[in-house]
Amino acid sequence: MSVFIYAFIGLILIEELVVAGLKRYINGAFRIESYFLRLYRTYKVRADLKKVS
């Protein structure tokens, strides 16, 4: 019976790790995406300024 309990606890721990890893990955991807968007916006603004001038 104790084997089942340990297996259950182990599964819960693994699931927690997977969820935490997914959250971290999603946050990192979102950060990179927003970083690229910010770069794109600044570049676009500079291009528009060059056009105007």
Side-chain angles (χ1 to χ4, degrees):
M1 193 63 200
S2 61
V3 174
F4 285 114
I5 293 171
Y6 282 128
F8 187 66
I9 292 172
L11 276 176
I12 289 174
L13 282 176
I14 289 170
E15 203 175 345
E16 289 289 317
L17 278 175
V18 168
V19 169
L22 272 177
K23 277 183 188 169
R24 195 173 294 156
Y25 173 74
I26 289 169
N27 280 341
F30 184 70
R31 239 177 254 140
I32 290 167
E33 204 173 303
S34 59
Y35 173 71
F36 275 118
L37 275 174
R38 202 181 309 136
L39 270 181
Y40 173 73
R41 280 201 200 109
T42 53
Y43 179 74
K44 202 174 167 193
V45 166
R46 282 186 195 146
D48 287 346
L49 284 175
K50 278 182 187 171
K51 275 184 203 166
V52 168
S53 66

